[in-house]
Amino acid sequence: MKHPASAAWLLALLLLAGCDTQPPVYKGQFLAFGTLVDISIAGLSAQEAQAATDVIEDDFKRMHHAWHAWDPGPLGRVNRLIQTGETFAAPPSVLPLIVRGAELSEKSDGLFNPAIGQLIDAWGFHNNDPSGHRPPPQETIDRLLAAAPKMSDLHLDGIQMRSGNPAVQLDFGAFGKGYGIDLAVEHLKELGVQNTILNAGGDLRAIGSKYGEPWRIAIRHPSGEGVLGIIRTSGSESIFTSGDYERNFTWEGKRYHHIIDPRTGYPAVGTRSVTVIDDNATTADAAATALFIAGPSRWYEIARRMGVGYVLLVDTGGNLHMNPAMRERVELTDAGYNIKLSPPLTAGPGR
């Protein structure tokens, strides 16, 4: 008969051996949507994880082709047909984003506006490298503001659509990445992946865990260098950040970033970065843009309208604006930040 202590010791050895047999977290990388996409997968062999990654890379290539605002493809065709004012059939690869984009635009009070592609193009942000550009002529901005392109200018009847506003040009840059991540994560689930992070240029969705431990996500400092804080994911969550450091150019000593305020026609002011947590990557992506534009004065109102539960906004003065739930989630790297806590967030009338 074995001594109980010996049995316990043997059980501990077996448990340790079981831990040792867990495959390491697989890490893959590929280029999509003009950025590097990193994928981490726990719980699968390297061969299984690589096969899943190859499938997702193909998915992203198709999405990039379909949704690119200025390269030839389905979205480019839609934008050309919008200019005619005639009714046409929307491609199935683009129609869901139009529908979802219209919903999110309405909830954001128009601050998230995928219809301002002409304005974005005028600023030169349809180029992969905007450096060397200059602000567009004021008359161009005035003309586009007067035309006021918005998602409600698109009239949908099933798959049939048209627009009476030729200033509408769709650009999914402010939420296409999030929509693509949502689709890719659902595909990964179908492939048997239960624990993963899909990270596209710092914006991500995580599901499951790292062998029982939460995934740890670093939030980039709004200077573009270093880390502002750490967030531990819980279950299925998306974490998206919009910052003025992402794409910009300098003209006559002034820096202009790519997040255009549809109300003014100029890059949004008052905000350095916004981080949003939501269970849906599409919502998180669109909300990060809308709240950046809303700025310190309106972020809380717009977050309620969009039904977002976790927000961290850094204003141009270096102050951190957060709701209490986000304050509990983020581990800041510096205790010296000036934090402005909002009331708790609850879903508002736009939810």
Side-chain angles (χ1 to χ4, degrees), residues 61-135:
K61 286 179 180 177
R62 286 193 294 270
M63 290 186 286
H64 177 84
H65 170 71
W67 305 340
H68 204 287
W70 58 93
D71 283 353
L75 180 57
R77 176 177 176 271
V78 166
N79 280 329
R80 289 193 300 274
L81 291 171
I82 284 174
Q83 306 305 307
T84 68
E86 302 294 329
T87 299
F88 62 93
S93 60
V94 173
L95 183 59
L97 281 92
I98 295 173
V99 173
R100 189 78 176 106
E103 293 170 351
L104 289 166
S105 184
E106 181 180 3
K107 287 183 178 182
S108 74
D109 196 24
L111 298 185
F112 165 72
N113 185 355
I116 61 169
Q118 288 191 33
L119 193 56
I120 294 170
D121 187 32
W123 276 93
F125 290 117
H126 272 176
N127 293 313
N128 292 324
D129 181 8
S131 60
H133 283 270
R134 59 180 296 173

Side-chain angles (χ1 to χ4, degrees), residues 327 332-339:
R327 181 67 188 94
L332 296 173
T333 57
D334 188 336
Y337 290 113
N338 182 31
I339 299 174

Side-chain angles (χ1 to χ4, degrees), residues 20-63:
D20 290 341
T21 61
Q22 290 177 334
V25 174
Y26 167 88
K27 295 184 181 296
Q29 189 178 77
F30 55 87
L31 185 65
F33 291 119
T35 190
L36 285 175
V37 178
D38 294 285
I39 183 168
S40 301
I41 299 175
L44 296 183
S45 69
Q47 293 80 6
E48 293 170 321
Q50 179 64 61
T53 299
D54 291 343
V55 171
I56 296 306
E57 182 177 2
D58 287 341
D59 287 350
F60 270 94
K61 286 179 180 177
R62 286 193 294 270
M63 290 186 286

Side-chain angles (χ1 to χ4, degrees), residues 34 166 195 214 257 304:
N195 305 282
H257 62 77
R304 289 187 70 244

Side-chain angles (χ1 to χ4, degrees), residues 33 60 63 67 92-101 104 172 174-185 205 240 280-283 285-286:
F33 291 119
F60 270 94
M63 290 186 286
W67 305 340
S93 60
V94 173
L95 183 59
L97 281 92
I98 295 173
V99 173
R100 189 78 176 106
L104 289 166
F172 297 150
F175 81 125
K177 189 163 56 173
Y179 191 86
I181 287 175
D182 277 334
L183 292 181
V185 167
R205 182 172 166 188
F240 276 68
N280 182 269
T282 311
T283 299
D285 200 359

Side-chain angles (χ1 to χ4, degrees), residues 143-197:
R143 173 177 57 81
L144 291 172
L145 289 179
K150 52 191 178 296
M151 293 303 288
S152 58
D153 291 330
L154 295 172
H155 306 287
L156 295 172
D157 183 8
I159 66 169
Q160 300 296 311
M161 67 176 291
R162 64 176 179 83
S163 174
N165 187 350
V168 170
Q169 181 175 314
L170 296 173
D171 186 323
F172 297 150
F175 81 125
K177 189 163 56 173
Y179 191 86
I181 287 175
D182 277 334
L183 292 181
V185 167
E186 293 309 309
H187 199 173
L188 284 168
K189 290 179 182 178
E190 294 171 2
L191 296 171
V193 177
Q194 299 178 352
N195 305 282
T196 186
I197 296 178

